[in-house]
Amino acid sequence: MAVSLERIPIPEAHPEERVKSYDEAVLGYTRKLAIAEAQRCIDCKTKPCTYACPALTKAPEYITAIANGDFDQSLSICLETYPVPGTLGRTCFHPCEDSCVVGFKGEPVAICSLKRAAFDYGQWPEIVRPASSGKKVAVVGSGPAGLQVAYDLARKGHAVTVLEALPVLGGMLTVGIPEYRLPRDVLGHEIDKLREWGVTFEVGWRLGEGGRTLESLVAGNDLVFLGVGCHSAKEIRVPGEKSKGVAHAVDWLRELELGAAFDLKDKRVVIIGGGSTAMDVARNAVRLGARTVHIVYRRGRGEMTASPEEVVQARDERIKFLMLANPIQILAKEDGSVKAVECIQMELGAPDQSGRRAPEPVEGSEFLLAADQVVLAVGQSPSPLHDAVKGHITLSKWGDIVVDADCRTSHAKVYAAGDIALGPSSIIEAIAQARKAAQAMGRVLEA
């Protein structure tokens, strides 16, 4: 039977309706549609999609199970690799699909959305906790890296406690990704399954505060894992950046998700940046009643780091894009509040160190963009751990934790992975590095 080269469209809520609430925007496949899409997979012998995944997900295997109508088996296969298939099936940037052989002649198989289908329709396998090893591990941070390490080590019988500084679990999964992309009950269900494995969680626990030192953490555990992510914002360093009404995306999203009331009704919102975070801020702003929402990005569409589907969804929600433009100053009213962003047109020159063509300003092309709220989404920096780990762990000049091939820090009993070691990265990359850390930690604990 010939394989269809056209992907079965993934159902979405209508843009005019979805912007009125935080209900899930992408509805996902029905069982029938998932089976039909999975049957497009040709189960390549070389499994390029698996090797394109940083975590080496067994994509052909879980897709074949769905093609056979066995969602339970598909979910079990996903769970062999990580504890958050429902989260990844909604948020992963799916590099696997770029390597899909079907995609060389047509559209790639919807590998990521099929993972979501495994979560949506599969029954979780029975959890049988292993005998206790008698070993204790502290995991600092409950983002994707922390959850992965907790999962891998708990399944080996080690007692794992996850310590989270925020009042909610999930790290950036919760305070960085809006609910219309990742419903809280999806992640909550996955965390509850970790509890069934014996993982314990504590919120409001911040390293370096209230006598919570790295020394005391090391003394009370056999090993310690740091997966605290990158929760500090980067500045753009232009005049007016400190004006009232200018916010940094990482802070803005966190405050919003923790319940802050933002009044954007009839406001003009400008977001600087071209990644997923910029899209999340923009789409939130629409849902909060903004009159206009502009995304200003200094490069072209081909250089944006946001996924193509995010950009399409944002455009469908009437978000406007100003490409090849860069802010040079933020103008304020007499009371200090924002009134406009002065930008300059850019053109692409020779490639820079990232491999992307570097933007260069076009002389005399300045223009004003009216704004009541400006949100800077230009990147994140490592969380401020310097005081808490000073004298115990080596940091790079950028503030990242330096780790070896086994994700061990300069302290023999402390490991780290995810954004705090990689720099700002994707969920699947954080999970992949955390898997390596857990494997190395497991060898030490079992020696």
Side-chain angles (χ1 to χ4, degrees):
M1 183 176 68
V3 174
S4 172
L5 297 179
E6 293 185 3
R7 173 183 290 193
I8 294 175
I10 303 165
E12 298 181 2
H14 191 280
E16 294 294 334
E17 292 301 317
R18 71 189 189 218
V19 298
K20 298 176 183 178
S21 75
Y22 275 81
D23 292 343
E24 201 161 9
V26 178
L27 304 178
Y29 285 131
T30 63
R31 288 174 181 268
K32 184 177 180 180
L33 290 178
I35 291 170
E37 177 63 19
Q39 289 173 346
R40 296 180 61 233
C41 176
I42 60 176
D43 194 16
C44 309
K45 291 183 179 179
T46 56
K47 305 182 188 303
C49 54
T50 291
Y51 295 105
C53 174
L56 300 178
T57 300
K58 297 178 180 178
E61 287 89 339
Y62 78 69
I63 292 172
T64 296
I66 292 176
N68 294 329
D70 194 340
F71 290 89
D72 294 354
Q73 182 189 20
S74 182
L75 178 57
S76 293
I77 292 168
C78 292
L79 292 169
E80 292 176 18
T81 308
Y82 31 63
V84 289
T87 293
L88 283 170
R90 290 164 166 81
T91 62
C92 188
F93 79 112
H94 47 72
C96 51
E97 295 182 15
D98 293 334
S99 296
C100 176
V101 172
V102 176
F104 294 165
K105 291 187 177 181
E107 294 179 287
V109 174
I111 300 171
C112 185
S113 290
L114 290 174
K115 190 195 324 289
R116 169 181 171 168
F119 172 89
D120 287 351
Y121 306 119
Q123 292 294 316
W124 287 64
E126 181 184 0
I127 292 175
V128 180
R129 288 166 61 174
S132 173
S133 68
K135 301 295 180 65
K136 294 172 58 179
V137 177
V139 172
V140 183
S142 66
L147 295 179
Q148 183 68 42
V149 168
Y151 181 62
D152 288 343
L153 295 182
R155 288 191 298 165
K156 294 182 177 180
H158 308 309
V160 181
T161 300
V162 177
L163 306 165
E164 170 59 55
L166 295 171
V168 294
L169 295 173
M172 281 295 188
L173 297 175
T174 299
V175 299
I177 301 178
E179 192 162 8
Y180 59 80
R181 280 215 294 139
L182 178 58
R184 298 300 172 250
D185 60 348
V186 171
L187 179 59
H189 183 75
E190 292 166 331
I191 289 175
D192 283 343
K193 289 297 179 180
L194 284 171
R195 288 190 173 98
E196 291 184 34
W197 278 109
V199 178
T200 59
F201 294 87
E202 183 179 342
V203 297
W205 194 103
R206 188 178 297 277
L207 189 63
E209 293 184 358
R212 296 160 176 163
T213 65
L214 186 62
E215 301 97 305
S216 63
L217 206 57
V218 168
N221 293 274
D222 293 282
L223 291 177
V224 173
F225 174 79
L226 301 177
V228 294
C230 289
H231 289 258
S232 299
K234 286 186 177 179
E235 298 181 343
I236 58 173
R237 298 180 181 178
V238 300
E241 186 172 357
K242 304 298 183 182
S243 301
K244 185 166 58 179
V246 178
H248 293 276
V250 63
D251 301 324
W252 192 89
L253 287 169
R254 181 174 58 249
E255 291 173 15
L256 178 64
E257 294 301 328
L258 292 178
F262 290 163
D263 180 14
L264 294 186
K265 188 171 178 57
D266 294 328
K267 299 288 181 66
R268 298 162 297 182
V269 180
V270 175
I271 298 103
I272 311 299
S276 292
T277 301
M279 303 303 141
D280 287 340
V281 172
R283 297 177 68 190
N284 263 306
V286 170
R287 286 161 174 77
L288 293 171
R291 184 201 319 174
T292 60
V293 180
H294 286 86
I295 289 177
V296 177
Y297 183 54
R298 63 185 184 141
R299 288 184 161 100
R301 172 65 193 93
E303 289 75 37
M304 292 183 78
T305 56
S307 67
E309 54 263 35
E310 286 181 282
V311 176
V312 171
Q313 290 161 8
R315 289 188 188 279
D316 288 345
E317 293 173 7
R318 299 186 180 179
I319 292 162
K320 299 177 182 179
F321 290 75
L322 291 177
M323 313 303 284
L324 290 171
N326 203 39
I328 54 178
Q329 69 171 321
I330 297 170
L331 304 177
K333 304 173 186 175
E334 290 186 4
D335 65 0
S337 62
V338 171
K339 70 175 181 180
V341 180
E342 183 177 6
C343 302
I344 189 168
Q345 290 292 152
M346 309 293 283
E347 59 184 5
L348 295 179
D352 60 16
Q353 292 180 341
S354 72
R356 297 180 295 176
R357 294 175 64 190
E360 300 172 353
V362 177
E363 186 176 352
S365 63
E366 294 86 354
F367 65 94
L368 291 179
L369 183 61
D372 304 297
Q373 168 83 67
V374 177
V375 184
L376 309 177
V378 295
Q380 296 147 225
S381 301
S383 295
L385 281 178
H386 297 80
D387 292 339
V389 302
K390 188 176 181 180
H392 301 282
I393 292 178
T394 301
L395 301 175
S396 74
K397 64 180 180 180
W398 298 281
D400 305 321
I401 294 177
V402 176
V403 297
D404 64 15
D406 285 335
C407 300
R408 190 198 300 258
T409 71
S410 55
H411 191 298
K413 293 182 65 176
V414 181
Y415 291 72
D419 288 0
I420 194 64
L422 293 169
S425 57
S426 67
I427 298 170
I428 194 64
E429 288 169 321
I431 284 173
Q433 193 188 33
R435 289 188 74 202
K436 291 181 181 179
Q439 289 164 5
M441 294 169 74
R443 290 192 293 270
V444 172
L445 294 168
E446 293 156 20

